[in-house]
Amino acid sequence: MTVLDILHFPDSRLHQVAKPVSQVDDRIRQLVSDMAETMYAAPGIGLAATQVNVHERIIVIDVSEERDELRVFINPEITASSEDCKLFEEGCLSVPGVYAEVERPDRVSVRALDENGKTFVVNADGLLSVCVQHEIDHLNGRVMVQYLSRLKQSRLRARIAKAERELG
Ligand code: NI
């Protein structure tokens, strides 16, 4: 297994829309295993392939306390969303140190393929619901900071640019 490099905002590659996986084969399973390794090493609770510069629709998530419940979603689709929404302060491995309050549907149903190419459906609530919606956004080229006001976004860009200059 390999720990992959994670792209950081404002890298334009984070805005590329990922393509569906046409066949779940050994190449995909290797990528899933590397993505899981990368997520656990970070450490994070979710990672989308887009964040490691692979533009295919694959997500790994583990919201368990013991860090032993890996969930893999290939070609995930939200098939139903609750009307009631919730605000949650989200972080992102591609935007280290930044937290943004994002409002999303409280519960979603997600249909996806597992590592064996088998379809499954999960009814997600709580942290899993937030996380799966956040990661599907990544596959669609959307980064959580895009939920911030324009003013906050431009302040954030300025802060990142300054930090990069200081690092040389
Ligand atoms: Ni993220």
Side-chain angles (χ1 to χ4, degrees), residues 92-107:
C92 179
L93 293 175
S94 291
V95 203
V98 173
Y99 297 89
E101 279 213 325
V102 182
E103 189 176 23
R104 303 185 187 271
D106 190 21
R107 299 173 306 283

Side-chain angles (χ1 to χ4, degrees), residues 32-99:
V32 163
S33 131
D34 291 345
M35 284 174 61
E37 179 91 349
T38 306
M39 173 185 74
Y40 287 122
I45 60 172
L47 187 74
T50 307
Q51 292 177 275
V52 292
N53 199 27
V54 175
H55 302 281
E56 297 182 76
R57 304 190 77 82
I58 305 168
I59 288 169
V60 294
I61 290 178
D62 189 341
V63 293
S64 71
E65 287 205 6
E66 303 290 333
R67 315 286 285 148
D68 59 357
E69 287 172 36
L70 179 67
R71 294 169 183 265
V72 177
F73 299 81
I74 298 169
N75 297 342
E77 272 183 69
I78 293 175
T79 54
S81 311
S82 65
E83 291 211 357
D84 46 317
C85 291
K86 250 199 186 135
L87 264 183
F88 189 86
E89 192 167 65
E90 300 182 13
C92 179
L93 293 175
S94 291
V95 203
V98 173
Y99 297 89

